[in-house]
Amino acid sequence: MVSELLFYQLALIALLWLCFMLHWVWPSDGGAASPTPSQPTPPLRRRSREPTPFPGLIHKPHCAACEQVAQDPEAPPPPAPPLITSRRGRPRQVDTAQHFCPNANCDYRGWVDWGNISANGHPSGGPWRQLYCSACERYFLETHGTPFHGKRVAPDLLVWAVGALAEGLGIRAVGRVFAVDPNTVLAWLLEVADHLKAFSQYFLRDVRVTQVQLDELYALLRAVKAGELSEAEAIQRLSRSPHWVWVAIDPVTKLLLTIDVGDRTLAMAQGLVHQVVQVLAPGCVPLFLTDGLKEYMTALLTHFGHWVQPSRRQDTGPLPKPRWMPLPQLLYAQVVKTVRRRRLVRVRHRAVFGTLEAVQQVLAACGWQINTAFVERINLTIRQHVAAVGRRVNTLCKGEEGLRQQLTLYHVYYNFCLPHASLRQPLAQPEPTKGIGSAKTWRPWTPAMAAGLTNHVWTLREVLLFRVPPWPQPAGV
């Protein structure tokens, strides 16, 4: 009995101890205890708006135009022959300073105003004068190397037809207005485009500008696969394919630096910037302004970059790889537009190369802000003067080459023949006009005159009659 009583006492003590331990270990009621303060939720990490420095590229971007120039460099002109001073007879009455000998075997071929060219009469009573080279004793017409050479059509008719094309008339419309077959008008356009391309390359060089605006203009071309369909089936299955007109303009002088046609790709951006570099003077690095197209950054970095050796991060170890970085003087800013439901809802300005303060300092000289308004305005002018890129028209070209020829005509016509209203200069003294009209107080001014490329407004007849030398002539001769 004693042993059983002792067992029950020990069991009771163990149960009491267990209850005490459970009460001590068990958590107390939340309402009775003091509430623990809740920790505040950390704020979301926002992306920094501060521009990060450009890290550079390991490899230089590829440019097909630069490689083509490196493979086929332009041949230098031959050594200049001695000047010829004629002392026979009376002084020459006909100015031949803009002519050169076209004979390939003549030592004076291509040299303008070298004293070897003299003027004769008009053979067979024709409209064009005959010229004579005293070095090779050859005769040639003053239209040699121009679209007028070998043409029996009246010169004024050709000038008027080309002027109508430059003012925005289509090829068939020009044929109807001047009673000429459209195929003849097309043949004239081909010859004029080749001549004006050489004209533009001869004058547009060593240009110094402070700003360049780049943009792309959407165009529609009718694509027809030749040879796979008959003519009747091709007319029924004409399809429209998107193409782009690439434009570069100096907003200060309104000079159209270059214009090209192609897809909206990196290769076309590289080609456009390459053409701009060919026009600019050596060492000229202007401010570039574009929209948000990312291909421009790579294209500008290709032509305005250099290799930079980064500094060591540690005292020992290999040197970091060289980086292709933009030139220190290169400034490039973008105008990024956000469009929703065909409405402009936001415009942001971003400095890609250089600082925003440096960009604004360049624009402050003209009282401007970061914009692409001037190149967008010329897009409207292009649509008005080039029938192939007009909106809702039936004069679309069938390929890039036809559009490029019309744009070449517009390029020269805009720069040299078309006075710009914002560039006109006031006259010191008003000039009287014919009739009873008010006196003339302004002098017309073209973009080429504002850029210092010429000193007068060219007529289209002068442009077509200009014999383009095969290489740039030395200055001051």
Side-chain angles (χ1 to χ4, degrees), residues 262-275:
D263 297 330
R264 206 166 185 238
T265 59
L266 175 60
M268 275 302 305
Q270 293 276 24
L272 182 74
V273 176
H274 179 83
Q275 295 177 28

Side-chain angles (χ1 to χ4, degrees), residues 346-394:
R346 186 180 181 185
V347 178
R348 291 180 298 162
H349 298 156
R350 179 172 58 186
V352 182
F353 297 142
T355 62
L356 194 60
E357 292 76 11
V359 173
Q360 293 175 349
Q361 184 178 1
V362 175
L363 297 173
C366 302
W368 299 341
Q369 297 180 353
I370 299 177
N371 70 90
T372 56
F374 295 94
V375 70
E376 291 175 355
R377 176 59 181 85
I378 204 173
N379 288 343
L380 173 61
T381 309
I382 292 175
R383 291 194 184 276
Q384 290 177 337
H385 285 266
V386 181
V389 293
R391 296 182 183 274
R392 298 180 181 179
V393 295
N394 59 355

Side-chain angles (χ1 to χ4, degrees), residues 326-344:
L327 294 174
Q329 62 270 30
L330 176 61
L331 299 177
Y332 172 42
Q334 289 181 340
V335 180
V336 183
K337 299 180 181 180
T338 303
V339 179
R340 295 177 181 174
R341 296 181 180 179
R342 298 183 180 182
R343 290 187 178 181
L344 182 64

Side-chain angles (χ1 to χ4, degrees), residues 220-394:
L220 289 174
L221 303 179
R222 291 186 294 183
V224 181
K225 296 183 178 180
E228 298 182 5
L229 300 175
S230 64
E231 184 177 358
E233 293 175 342
I235 293 176
Q236 296 178 358
R237 297 179 57 178
L238 279 176
S239 61
R240 293 181 175 183
S241 59
H243 287 75
W244 297 84
V245 177
W246 297 70
V247 182
I249 185 177
D250 172 23
V252 179
T253 63
K254 310 300 185 294
L255 183 68
L256 188 57
L257 299 176
T258 184
I259 188 168
D260 204 353
V261 183
D263 297 330
R264 206 166 185 238
T265 59
L266 175 60
M268 275 302 305
Q270 293 276 24
L272 182 74
V273 176
H274 179 83
Q275 295 177 28
V276 173
V277 173
Q278 298 297 317
V279 172
L280 297 179
C284 179
V285 184
L287 163 66
F288 290 91
L289 299 168
T290 71
D291 54 9
L293 186 64
K294 63 180 181 180
E295 280 76 9
Y296 283 125
M297 185 189 73
T298 306
L300 292 174
L301 187 61
T302 304
H303 297 86
F304 296 96
H306 67 301
W307 289 106
V308 175
Q309 178 62 53
S311 59
R312 259 185 217 272
R313 295 185 178 180
Q314 300 176 355
D315 296 338
T316 60
L319 286 173
K321 293 183 178 180
R323 295 280 179 167
W324 185 259
M325 301 287 292
L327 294 174
Q329 62 270 30
L330 176 61
L331 299 177
Y332 172 42
Q334 289 181 340
V335 180
V336 183
K337 299 180 181 180
T338 303
V339 179
R340 295 177 181 174
R341 296 181 180 179
R342 298 183 180 182
R343 290 187 178 181
L344 182 64
V345 297
R346 186 180 181 185
V347 178
R348 291 180 298 162
H349 298 156
R350 179 172 58 186
V352 182
F353 297 142
T355 62
L356 194 60
E357 292 76 11
V359 173
Q360 293 175 349
Q361 184 178 1
V362 175
L363 297 173
C366 302
W368 299 341
Q369 297 180 353
I370 299 177
N371 70 90
T372 56
F374 295 94
V375 70
E376 291 175 355
R377 176 59 181 85
I378 204 173
N379 288 343
L380 173 61
T381 309
I382 292 175
R383 291 194 184 276
Q384 290 177 337
H385 285 266
V386 181
V389 293
R391 296 182 183 274
R392 298 180 181 179
V393 295
N394 59 355

